[in-house]
Amino acid sequence: MKVVVTGGCGFIGTNFIRYFIKKHPGYKILNIDKLTYAGNLENLKDFKKRKNYHFVKADICNALFMKKLFKKFKPDAVINFAAETHVDRSITAPSQFMKTNFLGVGTLLNLCLDFGIKGFLQVSTDEVYGSIEKGSFCENSLLTPSSPYAASKAGADGLVMAYHTTYKLPILITRTTNNYGPYQFPEKLIPLVILNALKNKKIPVYGNGMNVRDWIYVEDNCAAIDQVLHKGKIGEIYNIAGKCEKTNIQVIKTLLQILNVDESLITYVKDRPGHDQRYSLSMSKIKKQLGWQPKTSFARGIKKTIDWYQNNKTWLHNTQTGAYRKFYKQYYSKLGLKEK
Ligand code: NAD
Ligand code: DAU
Protein backbone atom coordinates (compact mmCIF):
# COMPACT_ATOMS: atom_id res chain seq x y z
CA MET A 1 0.00 0.00 0.00
CA LYS A 2 1.20 3.55 -0.79
CA VAL A 3 0.23 6.11 1.83
CA VAL A 4 0.55 9.89 1.85
CA VAL A 5 0.94 11.20 5.40
CA THR A 6 0.53 14.98 5.64
CA GLY A 7 1.95 16.85 8.63
CA GLY A 8 4.29 13.94 9.38
CA CYS A 9 6.98 16.16 10.91
CA GLY A 10 4.72 17.35 13.74
CA PHE A 11 4.12 15.69 17.09
CA ILE A 12 1.53 13.01 16.29
CA GLY A 13 2.62 12.65 12.65
CA THR A 14 6.19 11.81 13.70
CA ASN A 15 5.02 9.25 16.25
CA PHE A 16 2.57 7.84 13.71
CA ILE A 17 5.16 7.38 10.94
CA ARG A 18 7.49 5.63 13.41
CA TYR A 19 4.67 3.31 14.51
CA PHE A 20 3.29 2.73 10.99
CA ILE A 21 6.61 1.88 9.30
CA LYS A 22 7.43 -0.64 12.01
CA LYS A 23 3.95 -2.19 11.80
CA HIS A 24 3.80 -2.27 7.99
CA PRO A 25 7.37 -2.56 6.65
CA GLY A 26 6.06 -3.33 3.15
CA TYR A 27 4.17 -0.03 2.81
CA LYS A 28 5.54 3.04 1.01
CA ILE A 29 5.13 6.35 2.79
CA LEU A 30 5.32 9.87 1.41
CA ASN A 31 5.47 12.45 4.19
CA ILE A 32 4.33 15.89 2.99
CA ASP A 33 4.89 18.72 5.46
CA LYS A 34 5.17 22.49 5.18
CA LEU A 35 7.67 22.56 8.08
CA THR A 36 6.00 25.36 10.00
CA TYR A 37 7.43 26.25 13.43
CA ALA A 38 5.79 23.00 14.65
CA GLY A 39 7.25 20.72 11.98
CA ASN A 40 10.72 19.34 12.60
CA LEU A 41 12.54 17.28 9.99
CA GLU A 42 15.10 16.25 12.57
CA ASN A 43 12.39 14.06 14.18
CA LEU A 44 12.69 11.48 11.39
CA LYS A 45 16.36 11.92 10.45
CA ASP A 46 17.06 8.22 11.06
CA PHE A 47 14.57 7.35 8.25
CA LYS A 48 16.43 9.33 5.58
CA LYS A 49 18.00 6.31 3.93
CA ARG A 50 14.94 4.05 3.95
CA LYS A 51 13.70 3.13 0.50
CA ASN A 52 10.04 3.04 1.58
CA TYR A 53 10.02 6.51 3.17
CA HIS A 54 10.16 9.84 1.36
CA PHE A 55 9.76 13.41 2.48
CA VAL A 56 8.72 16.45 0.47
CA LYS A 57 8.30 19.95 1.85
CA ALA A 58 4.98 21.34 0.64
CA ASP A 59 1.90 23.22 1.75
CA ILE A 60 -1.32 21.17 1.53
CA CYS A 61 -3.04 24.35 0.30
CA ASN A 62 -0.82 24.43 -2.81
CA ALA A 63 -3.14 22.50 -5.17
CA LEU A 64 -0.84 22.56 -8.20
CA PHE A 65 2.24 21.27 -6.44
CA MET A 66 0.22 18.72 -4.44
CA LYS A 67 -1.23 17.45 -7.73
CA LYS A 68 2.29 16.83 -9.05
CA LEU A 69 3.14 14.87 -5.92
CA PHE A 70 -0.02 12.75 -6.16
CA LYS A 71 0.63 12.10 -9.85
CA LYS A 72 4.13 10.86 -9.14
CA PHE A 73 3.47 8.87 -5.97
CA LYS A 74 -0.01 7.50 -6.85
CA PRO A 75 -1.17 6.96 -3.26
CA ASP A 76 -3.79 4.41 -2.24
CA ALA A 77 -4.58 6.23 0.99
CA VAL A 78 -4.08 9.67 2.55
CA ILE A 79 -3.89 10.39 6.28
CA ASN A 80 -4.12 14.08 7.13
CA PHE A 81 -2.37 15.28 10.27
CA ALA A 82 -1.38 18.65 8.77
CA ALA A 83 -2.90 21.52 10.72
CA GLU A 84 -2.31 24.58 12.80
CA THR A 85 -2.95 23.13 16.25
CA HIS A 86 -2.36 25.53 19.12
CA VAL A 87 -5.55 27.03 20.56
CA ASP A 88 -3.80 30.14 21.96
CA ARG A 89 -2.30 30.95 18.55
CA SER A 90 -5.75 30.54 16.96
CA ILE A 91 -7.08 33.20 19.32
CA THR A 92 -4.40 35.76 18.45
CA ALA A 93 -4.06 34.91 14.72
CA PRO A 94 -6.97 32.83 13.39
CA SER A 95 -6.52 33.28 9.60
CA GLN A 96 -3.87 30.61 9.03
CA PHE A 97 -6.08 28.15 10.93
CA MET A 98 -8.92 28.78 8.48
CA LYS A 99 -6.55 28.38 5.54
CA THR A 100 -4.70 25.19 6.48
CA ASN A 101 -7.35 23.46 8.59
CA PHE A 102 -10.30 24.11 6.28
CA LEU A 103 -9.11 25.11 2.79
CA GLY A 104 -6.11 22.75 2.99
CA VAL A 105 -8.44 19.86 3.73
CA GLY A 106 -10.61 20.94 0.77
CA THR A 107 -7.54 20.77 -1.48
CA LEU A 108 -6.75 17.26 -0.27
CA LEU A 109 -10.35 16.12 -0.77
CA ASN A 110 -10.37 17.38 -4.37
CA LEU A 111 -7.11 15.54 -5.07
CA CYS A 112 -8.45 12.36 -3.49
CA LEU A 113 -11.46 12.53 -5.80
CA ASP A 114 -9.33 13.20 -8.91
CA PHE A 115 -6.92 10.37 -8.13
CA GLY A 116 -9.52 7.80 -7.03
CA ILE A 117 -8.01 7.39 -3.55
CA LYS A 118 -9.28 4.30 -1.71
CA GLY A 119 -9.20 5.91 1.73
CA PHE A 120 -8.91 9.45 3.14
CA LEU A 121 -8.51 9.62 6.91
CA GLN A 122 -8.95 13.02 8.53
CA VAL A 123 -7.34 13.34 11.97
CA SER A 124 -9.75 15.48 13.97
CA THR A 125 -10.17 16.41 17.61
CA ASP A 126 -12.51 16.21 20.60
CA GLU A 127 -12.50 20.03 20.58
CA VAL A 128 -15.06 20.04 17.75
CA TYR A 129 -17.75 18.99 20.25
CA GLY A 130 -16.92 21.82 22.67
CA SER A 131 -17.13 21.58 26.43
CA ILE A 132 -19.30 19.11 28.40
CA GLU A 133 -20.19 19.43 32.09
CA LYS A 134 -21.25 15.81 32.74
CA GLY A 135 -21.18 12.62 30.68
CA SER A 136 -19.31 12.14 27.38
CA PHE A 137 -19.81 13.06 23.73
CA CYS A 138 -20.53 10.30 21.21
CA GLU A 139 -19.84 10.51 17.47
CA ASN A 140 -23.25 11.94 16.57
CA SER A 141 -23.29 14.62 19.28
CA LEU A 142 -23.81 18.21 18.16
CA LEU A 143 -20.65 20.17 17.27
CA THR A 144 -20.29 23.38 19.32
CA PRO A 145 -16.64 24.43 18.90
CA SER A 146 -15.39 27.30 21.09
CA SER A 147 -12.06 28.46 19.64
CA PRO A 148 -11.15 29.43 16.07
CA TYR A 149 -8.93 26.29 16.04
CA ALA A 150 -11.84 24.04 17.07
CA ALA A 151 -14.18 25.76 14.59
CA SER A 152 -11.72 25.28 11.72
CA LYS A 153 -11.46 21.57 12.55
CA ALA A 154 -15.27 21.25 12.86
CA GLY A 155 -15.64 22.95 9.47
CA ALA A 156 -13.18 20.48 7.97
CA ASP A 157 -15.08 17.52 9.45
CA GLY A 158 -18.24 18.86 7.79
CA LEU A 159 -16.45 19.15 4.45
CA VAL A 160 -15.04 15.62 4.71
CA MET A 161 -18.50 14.20 5.43
CA ALA A 162 -19.99 16.23 2.56
CA TYR A 163 -17.48 14.72 0.09
CA HIS A 164 -18.60 11.30 1.23
CA THR A 165 -22.32 12.07 0.98
CA THR A 166 -22.09 13.94 -2.33
CA TYR A 167 -19.25 12.21 -4.19
CA LYS A 168 -19.03 8.89 -2.31
CA LEU A 169 -15.39 9.64 -1.46
CA PRO A 170 -14.22 6.84 0.89
CA ILE A 171 -13.48 8.82 4.04
CA LEU A 172 -12.86 8.15 7.74
CA ILE A 173 -12.60 10.63 10.63
CA THR A 174 -10.93 10.14 14.00
CA ARG A 175 -11.57 12.52 16.91
CA THR A 176 -8.98 12.25 19.65
CA THR A 177 -8.53 13.66 23.14
CA ASN A 178 -5.34 15.41 24.36
CA ASN A 179 -2.21 13.49 23.27
CA TYR A 180 1.07 13.55 25.17
CA GLY A 181 4.44 11.90 24.57
CA PRO A 182 7.78 12.43 22.77
CA TYR A 183 8.29 15.11 20.08
CA GLN A 184 5.49 17.45 21.26
CA PHE A 185 6.32 21.12 20.69
CA PRO A 186 6.86 22.80 24.08
CA GLU A 187 3.98 25.27 23.74
CA LYS A 188 1.45 22.60 24.78
CA LEU A 189 0.82 22.05 28.50
CA ILE A 190 2.84 18.89 29.29
CA PRO A 191 6.10 19.65 27.43
CA LEU A 192 5.86 23.31 28.52
CA VAL A 193 5.69 22.29 32.18
CA ILE A 194 8.64 19.90 31.72
CA LEU A 195 10.70 22.55 29.92
CA ASN A 196 9.97 25.29 32.44
CA ALA A 197 10.56 22.97 35.39
CA LEU A 198 13.94 21.93 33.95
CA LYS A 199 14.86 25.61 33.52
CA ASN A 200 13.44 26.61 36.91
CA LYS A 201 10.99 28.99 35.17
CA LYS A 202 7.44 29.90 36.22
CA ILE A 203 4.64 27.55 35.16
CA PRO A 204 1.59 29.48 33.90
CA VAL A 205 -1.78 28.02 34.93
CA TYR A 206 -4.74 29.49 33.09
CA GLY A 207 -7.67 30.53 35.33
CA ASN A 208 -8.08 28.33 38.40
CA GLY A 209 -6.40 25.22 36.92
CA MET A 210 -9.62 23.20 37.29
CA ASN A 211 -10.27 22.67 33.56
CA VAL A 212 -10.39 18.98 32.70
CA ARG A 213 -8.66 17.24 29.79
CA ASP A 214 -8.66 13.53 28.88
CA TRP A 215 -5.04 12.44 28.29
CA ILE A 216 -3.96 9.74 25.82
CA TYR A 217 -0.40 8.50 25.30
CA VAL A 218 0.42 9.31 21.66
CA GLU A 219 1.35 5.74 20.69
CA ASP A 220 -2.12 4.54 21.73
CA ASN A 221 -3.64 7.14 19.40
CA CYS A 222 -1.31 5.99 16.57
CA ALA A 223 -2.46 2.38 17.08
CA ALA A 224 -6.10 3.51 16.98
CA ILE A 225 -5.61 5.52 13.76
CA ASP A 226 -3.91 2.51 12.15
CA GLN A 227 -6.87 0.30 13.09
CA VAL A 228 -9.42 2.80 11.83
CA LEU A 229 -7.55 3.04 8.51
CA HIS A 230 -7.51 -0.73 8.02
CA LYS A 231 -10.73 -1.85 9.69
CA GLY A 232 -12.92 1.23 10.07
CA LYS A 233 -16.24 1.45 8.25
CA ILE A 234 -16.04 3.90 5.33
CA GLY A 235 -17.99 7.10 5.94
CA GLU A 236 -17.77 6.77 9.73
CA ILE A 237 -16.37 8.86 12.57
CA TYR A 238 -14.48 7.24 15.48
CA ASN A 239 -13.84 8.85 18.86
CA ILE A 240 -10.47 7.93 20.38
CA ALA A 241 -10.38 8.56 24.13
CA GLY A 242 -7.67 8.20 26.76
CA LYS A 243 -10.14 7.51 29.59
CA CYS A 244 -7.84 9.50 31.83
CA GLU A 245 -9.54 12.73 32.86
CA LYS A 246 -7.52 15.09 35.00
CA THR A 247 -7.63 18.74 36.01
CA ASN A 248 -4.73 20.81 34.71
CA ILE A 249 -3.46 21.45 38.21
CA GLN A 250 -3.41 17.68 38.89
CA VAL A 251 -1.31 17.13 35.76
CA ILE A 252 1.10 19.95 36.64
CA LYS A 253 1.56 18.78 40.24
CA THR A 254 2.18 15.18 39.09
CA LEU A 255 4.88 16.36 36.67
CA LEU A 256 6.58 18.53 39.29
CA GLN A 257 6.54 15.70 41.80
CA ILE A 258 8.21 13.27 39.36
CA LEU A 259 10.74 15.92 38.36
CA ASN A 260 11.35 16.73 42.02
CA VAL A 261 10.74 20.43 41.40
CA ASP A 262 9.11 22.76 43.92
CA GLU A 263 5.44 23.71 43.43
CA SER A 264 6.31 27.36 44.08
CA LEU A 265 6.96 27.65 40.31
CA ILE A 266 3.19 27.38 39.74
CA THR A 267 1.81 30.78 38.74
CA TYR A 268 -1.89 31.43 38.16
CA VAL A 269 -2.40 33.69 35.14
CA LYS A 270 -5.32 35.24 33.22
CA ASP A 271 -7.64 32.62 31.74
CA ARG A 272 -7.66 31.70 28.03
CA PRO A 273 -10.67 33.41 26.35
CA GLY A 274 -13.42 30.89 25.59
CA HIS A 275 -11.54 28.26 27.63
CA ASP A 276 -13.44 24.94 27.45
CA GLN A 277 -14.07 23.59 30.93
CA ARG A 278 -14.06 19.87 30.22
CA TYR A 279 -13.55 17.46 27.32
CA SER A 280 -14.87 13.93 27.47
CA LEU A 281 -15.48 11.33 24.77
CA SER A 282 -17.34 8.04 24.76
CA MET A 283 -15.17 5.39 23.10
CA SER A 284 -17.75 2.62 23.05
CA LYS A 285 -18.00 2.66 19.22
CA ILE A 286 -14.30 2.02 18.53
CA LYS A 287 -14.12 -0.52 21.35
CA LYS A 288 -17.17 -2.42 20.11
CA GLN A 289 -16.46 -2.25 16.35
CA LEU A 290 -12.64 -2.46 16.27
CA GLY A 291 -11.75 -3.84 19.69
CA TRP A 292 -9.45 -0.88 20.39
CA GLN A 293 -8.82 0.64 23.80
CA PRO A 294 -5.89 2.61 25.27
CA LYS A 295 -3.10 0.48 26.73
CA THR A 296 -0.80 2.96 28.47
CA SER A 297 -1.61 4.15 31.98
CA PHE A 298 -1.00 7.82 32.75
CA ALA A 299 1.70 6.85 35.27
CA ARG A 300 3.61 4.82 32.65
CA GLY A 301 3.03 7.27 29.79
CA ILE A 302 4.12 10.30 31.78
CA LYS A 303 7.26 8.51 32.99
CA LYS A 304 8.17 7.61 29.39
CA THR A 305 7.48 11.19 28.30
CA ILE A 306 9.60 12.79 31.03
CA ASP A 307 12.44 10.32 30.33
CA TRP A 308 12.31 11.21 26.63
CA TYR A 309 12.51 14.98 27.23
CA GLN A 310 15.30 14.54 29.76
CA ASN A 311 17.26 12.42 27.27
CA ASN A 312 16.59 14.82 24.39
CA LYS A 313 17.55 18.19 25.81
CA THR A 314 19.18 19.16 22.50
CA TRP A 315 15.89 18.56 20.69
CA LEU A 316 14.16 20.78 23.27
CA HIS A 317 16.84 23.44 22.89
CA ASN A 318 16.63 23.31 19.08
CA THR A 319 12.85 23.86 19.12
CA GLN A 320 13.48 26.98 21.21
CA THR A 321 16.14 28.42 18.93
CA GLY A 322 14.91 27.18 15.54
CA ALA A 323 18.26 25.36 15.13
CA TYR A 324 16.56 22.35 13.51
CA ARG A 325 15.97 24.55 10.45
CA LYS A 326 19.71 24.43 9.78
CA PHE A 327 19.46 20.65 9.78
CA TYR A 328 16.64 20.89 7.26
CA LYS A 329 18.67 23.09 4.89
CA GLN A 330 21.66 20.72 5.03
CA TYR A 331 19.42 17.71 4.47
CA TYR A 332 17.75 19.28 1.45
CA SER A 333 20.91 20.57 -0.18
CA LYS A 334 22.46 17.08 0.10
CA LEU A 335 19.49 15.70 -1.82
CA GLY A 336 19.97 18.40 -4.43
CA LEU A 337 16.37 19.51 -4.06
CA LYS A 338 14.97 23.00 -3.99
CA GLU A 339 12.61 24.30 -1.36
CA LYS A 340 9.02 24.65 -2.64
P1 NAD B 1 1.62 19.75 15.39
O1 NAD B 1 1.30 21.19 15.47
O2 NAD B 1 2.65 19.18 16.28
O3 NAD B 1 2.04 19.37 13.89
C1 NAD B 1 1.37 19.83 12.76
C2 NAD B 1 2.22 19.52 11.55
O4 NAD B 1 1.51 19.97 10.38
C3 NAD B 1 3.59 20.22 11.54
O5 NAD B 1 4.59 19.32 11.15
C4 NAD B 1 3.42 21.33 10.50
O6 NAD B 1 4.64 21.69 9.86
C5 NAD B 1 2.43 20.69 9.54
N1 NAD B 1 1.66 21.68 8.78
C6 NAD B 1 1.03 22.79 9.25
N2 NAD B 1 0.43 23.45 8.24
C7 NAD B 1 0.69 22.75 7.10
C8 NAD B 1 0.34 22.93 5.73
N3 NAD B 1 -0.38 23.98 5.33
N4 NAD B 1 0.77 22.01 4.85
C9 NAD B 1 1.52 20.96 5.23
N5 NAD B 1 1.88 20.74 6.51
C10 NAD B 1 1.47 21.63 7.43
O7 NAD B 1 0.22 19.00 15.57
P2 NAD B 1 -0.13 17.60 16.27
O8 NAD B 1 -0.35 17.85 17.70
O9 NAD B 1 0.81 16.58 15.80
O10 NAD B 1 -1.56 17.33 15.61
C11 NAD B 1 -1.71 16.58 14.41
C12 NAD B 1 -3.18 16.49 14.06
O11 NAD B 1 -3.89 15.88 15.14
C13 NAD B 1 -3.84 17.85 13.85
O12 NAD B 1 -4.72 17.76 12.76
C14 NAD B 1 -4.60 18.11 15.15
O13 NAD B 1 -5.73 18.90 14.91
C15 NAD B 1 -4.97 16.70 15.55
N6 NAD B 1 -5.14 16.48 17.00
C16 NAD B 1 -4.12 16.77 17.87
C17 NAD B 1 -4.28 16.47 19.23
C18 NAD B 1 -3.20 16.75 20.24
O14 NAD B 1 -3.43 16.58 21.43
N7 NAD B 1 -2.01 17.13 19.84
C19 NAD B 1 -5.49 15.92 19.67
C20 NAD B 1 -6.51 15.66 18.76
C21 NAD B 1 -6.31 15.93 17.41
O1 DAU C 1 -8.21 18.08 22.99
C1 DAU C 1 -7.41 17.91 21.86
C2 DAU C 1 -6.63 19.17 21.64
O2 DAU C 1 -5.64 19.23 22.65
C3 DAU C 1 -5.97 19.25 20.27
O3 DAU C 1 -6.96 19.25 19.28
C4 DAU C 1 -5.12 20.53 20.17
O4 DAU C 1 -4.44 20.56 18.94
C5 DAU C 1 -4.12 20.53 21.30
O5 DAU C 1 -3.38 21.74 21.28
C6 DAU C 1 -4.81 20.36 22.66
O6 DAU C 1 -5.57 21.54 22.99
P1 DAU C 1 -5.63 22.11 24.49
O7 DAU C 1 -5.98 23.54 24.44
O8 DAU C 1 -6.45 21.23 25.36
O9 DAU C 1 -4.08 21.88 24.89
P2 DAU C 1 -3.02 22.82 25.62
O10 DAU C 1 -1.82 21.96 25.88
O11 DAU C 1 -2.83 24.12 24.94
O12 DAU C 1 -3.73 23.10 27.03
C7 DAU C 1 -4.15 22.06 27.88
C8 DAU C 1 -4.85 22.70 29.07
O13 DAU C 1 -3.89 23.38 29.87
C9 DAU C 1 -5.89 23.72 28.68
O14 DAU C 1 -6.97 23.64 29.59
C10 DAU C 1 -5.17 25.06 28.84
C11 DAU C 1 -4.20 24.78 29.95
N1 DAU C 1 -2.90 25.51 29.89
C12 DAU C 1 -2.18 25.43 28.73
C13 DAU C 1 -0.97 26.05 28.62
C14 DAU C 1 -0.17 25.98 27.34
C15 DAU C 1 -2.41 26.18 31.00
O15 DAU C 1 -3.07 26.23 32.06
N2 DAU C 1 -1.19 26.80 30.88
C16 DAU C 1 -0.45 26.79 29.74
O16 DAU C 1 0.64 27.39 29.72
Side-chain angles (χ1 to χ4, degrees), residues 8 43 50 53 79 82 93 129 159 162 181 184-185 230 239 249 271 280 289 297 301:
N43 294 355
R50 277 184 180 253
Y53 170 80
I79 308 176
Y129 298 113
L159 203 56
Q184 188 168 30
F185 193 83
H230 289 96
N239 284 347
I249 198 70
D271 208 356
S280 182
Q289 283 192 16
S297 69

Side-chain angles (χ1 to χ4, degrees), residues 84-88 124-127 149 153 176-179 184 187-193 196 203-207 209 211-215 248 252 269 271-272 275-277 279:
E84 291 292 336
T85 60
H86 194 42
V87 173
D88 294 332
S124 186
T125 169
D126 60 357
E127 298 207 11
Y149 161 69
K153 294 292 287 187
T176 318
T177 56
N178 283 61
N179 284 230
Q184 188 168 30
E187 64 185 350
K188 309 280 162 62
L189 183 68
I190 288 183
L192 181 90
V193 172
N196 284 13
I203 289 157
V205 182
Y206 299 165
N211 302 68
V212 174
R213 296 292 181 267
D214 175 24
W215 295 97
N248 294 337
I252 294 167
V269 298
D271 208 356
R272 174 187 275 173
H275 196 175
D276 282 328
Q277 180 56 37
Y279 296 141

Side-chain angles (χ1 to χ4, degrees), residues 6-14 32-40 43 58-62 66 80-86 96 99-101 104 122-127 149 153 174-180 183-185 187-188 215-216 221 225:
T6 55
C9 294
F11 162 49
I12 307 179
T14 293
I32 302 175
D33 196 298
K34 185 181 170 184
L35 296 180
T36 66
Y37 77 95
N40 187 342
N43 294 355
D59 184 335
I60 58 164
C61 302
N62 184 343
M66 290 295 291
N80 180 37
F81 292 93
E84 291 292 336
T85 60
H86 194 42
Q96 192 57 44
K99 208 173 160 205
T100 293
N101 299 3
Q122 167 70 359
V123 178
S124 186
T125 169
D126 60 357
E127 298 207 11
Y149 161 69
K153 294 292 287 187
T174 59
R175 291 181 180 150
T176 318
T177 56
N178 283 61
N179 284 230
Y180 68 98
Y183 301 103
Q184 188 168 30
F185 193 83
E187 64 185 350
K188 309 280 162 62
W215 295 97
I216 184 169
N221 182 28
I225 292 171

